[in-house]
Amino acid sequence: MPAELMKQKINHAQEFIDSHKSSALKGHWRQQFHFMPEVGWMNDPNGMIEYHGKYHFFYQYNPFTPFWDSMYWGHAVSDDMIHWEYLPPALAPSEDYDNHQKGGCFSGSAIEKDGRLFLIYTGTYNNGDGFKQVQCVAYSDDGIHFAKYEGNPVLTAPEGYEEANFRDPCVWEHEGNYYMVCGASKDHLAQALLFKSSDLFHWDFVNVLAESYGDLGYMWECPDFFELDGRYVLLISPMGAGNRTAIYLVGDFDYNTGKFTYVINGNSDNGFDFYAPKSFKDHKGRRMVVAWANEWDWMPRWKDWGPTYKENWCGSFNLIREVKLNKDNTLSFLPIEEYQAIRTEGTERTFLEVSDIPFTISEERQACEIQAVIDLTSSDALQVVFSLKGNNEYHLDLILDLEHQMVTLDRNQADGWSRGETHTELKKHDRNNLTLDIFIDRSSVEVFIEDYHTVLSSNVFAADNQLKNTVYAVGGTCRLKKLKTFQMAVGE
Ligand code: FRU
């Protein structure tokens, strides 16, 4: 019986998790305030939703090894998005439309309808005539145990589209109808396709919501579409767009034509490790995004998934970020305010002059936040360098090149494992101040600059004694109006 098979596979996975998690939980690279699985491999966030008063996070999950394989949907719930309770996997590959050995239940969304929690996901299979991707539905009344819809799949690739590239449904409700956007590929160009339904089970094609003309790749993974203060935002994770792997488009959308036209094309993150962002809205009206803090092997800057497989886990999410629309239609991404509750001890210094002698910013902490404001009007340094997670041998460098208006995150000397550097433009929206908010966890650094307009995220697989954070100036002095630090600690 098919329904039985999913139950059996979930029970088996849960037994495996229970018997293997204790060793993985001891891993010294485990994050302290970022979401991650108990044991095994995790990639994309799937179906973040507030349901019956709790935040539910689902995720692409292989509990059995610290590598990608046949995907389950992992599941965890929280009251505050800081403390998490892990639940049994919500979905397991079990049907002939979602049981591909190197595939399974791919990414998707969650939506509540008439009190029920629905998961809309991509099933993957191959019956000997090629890799197929189809859209499927599962539902639950208790938010824990899910049943797959008997009529699955509910949607297959339209005529003329690659069946192996039709995935990651993003679903929402508008005026009593349901809408779905899927990533697709036609003639080797990426498209986001829009569908409409009155019941979540029967879908009609509406239009090509948006497409790449070559500039934005050949396939968009995990399209995410939402309204924000009267405008519309499409988040895409493009394959084939070079280093640009997390793009946002802002513009207007017409429900009558199903067409989205964008006026802004920006990067959701400019670092190494941020992919497949998924958004959701909560009862406070906040639009938040969660992303997978890693990369795929086809990305230009990918080296590997890091050494944490030695601790029997791989994958965490970036900080949960609230999305704000700026006056110029660009977006800013702010760490959600809940993180302020885990700040413990702090230090604050004002009006500091920094020279070429490294100034020690913080006490030695594995998890901390550093806020700084550089006074651009009285700093004549050519560069200001924040050297993070350092010891005598290693350090991750954030280089603010004030002369050439560039920001570089250099991880070549970060940990003896990671490699590469990323560059992005320093926009200097504010000519007087350059603000920074830096979040350091056990294995990651996330830098928010220029009032959260620009973000750079990177994993760092540091040794236990890489605890030093310093700042120094090159070719002049740098005046800091403010330098604030907090220790971050997740209590019970
Ligand atoms: C994006 C992605 C999705 C897919 C999933 C598979 O990271 O490749 O397109 O659904 O991961 O795990």
Side-chain angles (χ1 to χ4, degrees), residues 7 13 26 33 55 68 82 122 124 144 200 213 323 341 395 401 412 423 458 488 491:
K7 266 191 213 147
K26 291 190 195 109
F33 59 97
Y55 293 104
W68 188 84
I82 302 282
T122 299
T124 63
I144 300 174
L200 293 175
Y213 298 97
V323 191
H395 48 95
D401 187 330
N412 285 311
H423 308 277
S458 180
M488 304 292 266

Side-chain angles (χ1 to χ4, degrees), residues 120 135 155 169-172 178-182 193-195 203:
I120 324 285
Q135 313 321 321
L155 187 61
C170 164
V171 176
W172 72 97
Y178 296 90
Y179 292 84
M180 180 199 292
V181 170
C182 284
L193 301 184
L194 179 70
F195 302 86
W203 293 92

Side-chain angles (χ1 to χ4, degrees), residues 241-290:
N243 284 338
R244 297 193 68 199
T245 51
I247 293 180
Y248 70 77
L249 307 172
V250 180
D252 295 309
F253 172 61
D254 181 349
Y255 272 99
N256 296 317
T257 60
K259 259 298 179 223
F260 167 69
T261 39
Y262 59 89
V263 289
I264 292 286
N265 167 345
N267 290 344
S268 307
D269 194 295
N270 296 278
F272 301 93
D273 296 299
F274 180 96
Y275 192 65
K278 179 108 206 111
S279 87
F280 67 111
K281 199 173 174 179
D282 75 349
H283 67 280
K284 296 181 182 167
R286 298 181 288 182
R287 177 61 64 171
M288 294 169 278
V289 287
V290 185

Side-chain angles (χ1 to χ4, degrees), residues 181 192 209-210 220 223-225 232-236 247-249 260:
V181 170
L209 181 83
W220 291 345
D224 195 273
F225 191 61
Y232 284 81
V233 177
L234 178 63
L235 303 177
I236 50 172
I247 293 180
Y248 70 77
L249 307 172
F260 167 69

Side-chain angles (χ1 to χ4, degrees), residues 128-267:
D129 57 347
F131 195 31
K132 306 262 163 68
Q133 302 186 337
V134 291
Q135 313 321 321
C136 308
V137 174
Y139 46 81
S140 165
D141 290 322
D142 64 3
I144 300 174
H145 304 94
F146 290 82
K148 291 176 185 167
Y149 172 54
E150 316 74 55
N152 278 341
V154 295
L155 187 61
T156 56
E159 196 62 38
Y161 286 85
E162 290 172 25
E163 287 176 291
N165 273 322
F166 179 54
R167 59 181 175 273
D168 308 336
C170 164
V171 176
W172 72 97
E173 187 266 342
H174 176 75
E175 293 182 351
N177 283 304
Y178 296 90
Y179 292 84
M180 180 199 292
V181 170
C182 284
S185 188
K186 193 178 191 185
D187 303 328
H188 214 60
L189 289 174
Q191 295 192 349
L193 301 184
L194 179 70
F195 302 86
K196 185 177 177 182
S197 168
S198 58
D199 58 6
L200 293 175
F201 300 125
H202 304 88
W203 293 92
D204 294 316
F205 175 71
V206 179
N207 208 342
V208 176
L209 181 83
E211 62 197 300
S212 163
Y213 298 97
D215 51 333
L216 294 177
Y218 64 85
M219 171 66 194
W220 291 345
E221 297 194 302
C222 302
D224 195 273
F225 191 61
F226 54 90
E227 194 254 315
L228 187 67
D229 295 340
R231 305 236 68 166
Y232 284 81
V233 177
L234 178 63
L235 303 177
I236 50 172
S237 301
M239 305 176 82
N243 284 338
R244 297 193 68 199
T245 51
I247 293 180
Y248 70 77
L249 307 172
V250 180
D252 295 309
F253 172 61
D254 181 349
Y255 272 99
N256 296 317
T257 60
K259 259 298 179 223
F260 167 69
T261 39
Y262 59 89
V263 289
I264 292 286
N265 167 345
N267 290 344

